[in-house]
Amino acid sequence: MPDEPKDNCSLLRGAARTYCEGGSSGSTPGDGSPGEGVANGASDHIKDLANSLISKIQGMIAPKDAWAPHKADSAIYQPFLWMGEHLAVAIFTCVVVVCALTAWQGAPRLRQMGVSTGSTLVAVVAMGSIPGIVEVLHRAVGEAFTAAFNSDEASLFGAIKEDLAHGADSGNPLGILVIVSALVVALAFAALVLVTREPGILVFVCMGPLVWASLARGDASAIRLWAMRLLGLLFCPFALLAVTPFVPLVRGSLVMDGVLLVAADVLMLRMIVHGVPWIGPRVAGAARTYVEGRTSSPLVHAAVRAGAPDYAEQESVPRGPRIVPTPGRAMSQDSRAVLGAYGLRTPSRPGRLTTESAVVQTRRDAARSAAIIAARRQARAAAQPPNPNSAPSTRPRPTGAPAAPSSPPAPGP
């Protein structure tokens, strides 16, 4: 019986045998460079896959080109521009007619007509420049985002690339697979951000002429609301900068890098749907207080007050969770602002909780409500003065004390 070959690669022929011999001898076949054969090649392929996923995520979060039209003569934007211009002219005509019919009021009507004339010209000019401005901002945000996250290793993506090459678990296949899995999950969130952000920008750009037409009445509240929503969609990729302070704390761990990446994508999606987190006004107010306490310049005070104005939060229970407007209520508030700019008043929705939220809040506050009711009863009883016509006390009389008369003595004759 012939001896079995000691080398299993001898059973192969052609390129398969060459590849097997190169993998078992510790060198990569074809180039003669030292390595670890098949395992090293697989690890390099996984790292290349991770770098490719990072590039895809960056391209989806901050793409170079927007879905919105670039010029005012676009076939998508042209009907809205035509409608907005005619609507602004119609509103201006109505304002002129009303001012003419009430010209006996004098200066107020002349002032209103002058404001309406200037506002209409500004609105018509701004309608044609909306696509170009949005395109420039979109491109600037994309380039700034790419430069910020590829500049050094302090950013999240830079830390992931550095950890893939020189991290503590860069040689561990399990750690690399974990970061690749996290990148795949982050890629799904990035795709969700893309399909939420880009159509939103398109809708707000097309809705721009109709909103700016309301400026002919001299009311800029709808324009401010529209501009804030649009700028929120444009600048939301910078929400990833919120996790940058935590990057040095997890440096060298691919698993924690993946956790930070998924958390950043969730935060960015949350900012797209609900706007800036509620902690933002508090941080801005603290910064304003710090600046006002360090300088006495009126110009600086005016600047910080414009950037962080006074605000008041409304809560149902101070120690309970905040009441967050539902998407339906937020859309209703926005539509009321837009219709109000045209002079159309809509009935406001009642400021109350849903049935499910009211039931949960009642159950959660049952013990506290009962304690408050009991404390109020005790305080009310303690503050109540004694009644002189009440029944005599039944306490025992001390020994030797004279008995109190049961009734007052009869008057003498």
Side-chain angles (χ1 to χ4, degrees), residues 132-321:
I133 294 175
V134 171
E135 173 64 18
V136 170
L137 287 176
H138 193 279
R139 189 180 299 274
V141 168
E143 293 178 356
F145 176 84
T146 304
F149 280 88
N150 291 333
S151 58
D152 54 8
E153 301 172 3
S155 62
L156 181 58
F157 291 139
I160 292 177
K161 293 179 180 179
E162 179 66 19
D163 292 341
L164 282 172
H166 307 290
D169 49 359
S170 59
N172 186 2
L174 181 59
I176 298 178
L177 288 177
V178 169
I179 188 61
V180 169
S181 303
L183 287 173
V184 171
V185 175
L187 182 65
F189 277 105
L192 188 58
V193 169
L194 178 69
V195 300
T196 305
R197 178 172 176 258
E198 295 297 323
I201 294 175
L202 176 62
V203 169
F204 275 90
V205 168
C206 293
M207 195 174 62
L210 305 180
V211 177
W212 275 87
S214 65
L215 189 62
R217 287 189 67 249
D219 188 359
S221 59
I223 297 175
R224 287 195 298 267
L225 179 66
W226 170 83
M228 292 303 296
R229 296 291 188 271
L230 181 59
L231 291 177
L233 288 171
L234 286 173
F235 289 93
C236 72
F238 288 101
L240 287 174
L241 295 177
V243 300
T244 302
F246 302 97
V247 172
L249 301 177
V250 298
R251 184 178 299 276
S253 176
L254 291 174
V255 178
M256 295 306 299
D257 289 339
V259 172
L260 280 182
L261 181 59
V262 175
D265 285 333
V266 172
L267 176 62
M268 182 167 50
L269 189 63
R270 191 265 181 202
M271 291 184 66
I272 291 177
V273 177
H274 296 287
V276 180
W278 66 275
I279 196 175
R282 296 191 177 184
V283 174
R288 169 185 165 180
T289 304
Y290 178 82
V291 172
E292 289 179 344
R294 295 300 187 279
T295 180
S296 59
S297 174
L299 183 60
V300 175
H301 285 190
V304 296
R305 287 172 185 172
D310 295 327
Y311 72 98
E313 287 184 319
Q314 183 180 3
E315 296 180 346
S316 59
V317 180
R319 287 179 293 275

